[in-house]
């Protein structure tokens, strides 16, 4: 049985991330399996980590980008490298593939292996992976940290949606395992209607490498009376491979 962990307020900022280029010829988002499911239950947002967590990457063992001696337990001591500051109008920035977070593109967006709408995904992505099969590999990863942040109302997302990468987290937990849950009824901004970003900082299981952040943008609404919270849209927002 998966262990359920409750997120606690930490005040930690985001630790590093890459939004990736957004040109018309840019590669697609990387494929991954990190979070399998989100659920709004009894006033809480429940995040289920995938049973097998992995990312596709062009990383090679000889790359100098790996973190020598990286220890996931020391994540809190890392200096922030950057956050997802690139913004895009109409629920998404430029580049190819599906956008439309909060603007009506959810129903027609391509889906990931776990059924999330795939931001900047599309037919071109499958073609790219097929044409570059010898340049990418699948790496098993562990989740060193999980963060949650309130991004704003649906109107705010339409006007100023963040691209891939970490944001300043409202709550963060180190070394999560199995299922993570946080209370959305505690009176903080995390109990408001609107859009939330859930981010997972992933590091190699078999290689000494920091694969940065996989993120998910969720539209959450508060129902009337006893209806409680519900999740209207789930977008996977990954860096370019």
């Amino acid at each position: 049985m998966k262990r359920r962990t409750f997120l606690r307020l930490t005040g930690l900022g985001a630790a590093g991330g890459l939004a990736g280029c957004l040109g018309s010829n840019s590669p697609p988002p990387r494929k991954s399996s990190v979070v399998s499911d989100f659920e709004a239950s009894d006033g809480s947002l429940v995040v289920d980590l995938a049973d097998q967590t992995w990312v596709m990457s062009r990383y090679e063992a000889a790359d100098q980008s790996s973190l020598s001696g990286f220890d996931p337990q020391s994540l809190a001591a890392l200096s922030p490298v950057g956050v997802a500051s690139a913004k895009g109008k109409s629920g998404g920035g430029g580049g190819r593939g599906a956008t439309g977070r909060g603007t009506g593109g959810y129903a027609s967006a391509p889906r990931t292996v776990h059924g999330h709408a795939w931001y900047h995904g599309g037919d071109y992505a499958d073609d790219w992976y097929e044409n570059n099969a010898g340049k990418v590999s699948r790496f098993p990863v562990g989740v060193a940290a999980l963060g949650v942040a309130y991004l704003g109302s649906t109107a705010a997302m339409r006007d100023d949606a963040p691209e891939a990468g970490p944001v300043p987290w409202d709550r963060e937990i180190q070394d999560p395992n199995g299922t993570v849950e946080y209370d959305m009824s505690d009176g903080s901004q995390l109990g408001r209607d609107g859009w939330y970003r859930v981010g997972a900082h992933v590091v190699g299981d078999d290689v000494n490498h920091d694969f940065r952040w996989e993120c998910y943008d969720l539209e959450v609404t508060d129902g009337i009376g006893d209806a409680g919270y519900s999740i209207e849209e789930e977008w996977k927002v990954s860096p370019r491979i």
Side-chain angles (χ1 to χ4, degrees), residues 13-21 30 67 75 78-86 163-167 169 197 200-202 210-215 237-240:
L18 297 174
C21 55
R30 71 180 176 195
L67 297 181
L75 178 65
L78 294 177
S79 299
V81 180
V83 297
S85 58
E163 290 295 334
V167 296
W169 304 116
R197 174 158 291 186
H201 186 187
V202 290
D210 179 3
F211 288 100
R212 306 294 183 177
W213 292 81
E214 284 290 334
C215 294
V237 185
S238 300
R240 302 278 178 173

Side-chain angles (χ1 to χ4, degrees), residues 100-106 195 217-220 231-235:
R101 288 169 293 177
T103 62
Y106 181 71
W195 284 80
D217 289 350
L218 314 175
E219 184 183 23
V220 176
I231 301 174
E232 302 299 327
E233 296 189 13
E234 302 175 4
W235 289 83

Side-chain angles (χ1 to χ4, degrees), residues 108-150:
S108 61
R111 291 307 198 256
T112 69
V113 65
H114 295 299
H116 309 125
W118 192 18
Y119 182 62
H120 280 311
D123 292 339
Y124 82 98
D126 292 332
D127 293 338
W128 189 96
Y129 277 99
E130 181 178 350
N131 295 334
N132 293 272
K135 300 177 182 178
V136 299
S137 300
R138 191 170 106 167
F139 294 89
V141 296
V143 180
L146 196 75
V148 182
Y150 179 70

Side-chain angles (χ1 to χ4, degrees), residues 35-58:
V35 174
S36 62
D37 189 45
F38 299 95
E39 179 186 2
S41 176
D42 296 327
S44 295
L45 176 62
V46 181
V47 182
D48 282 323
L49 300 180
D51 292 331
Q52 294 183 332
T53 49
W54 52 265
V55 300
M56 299 293 292
S57 176
R58 289 189 278 184

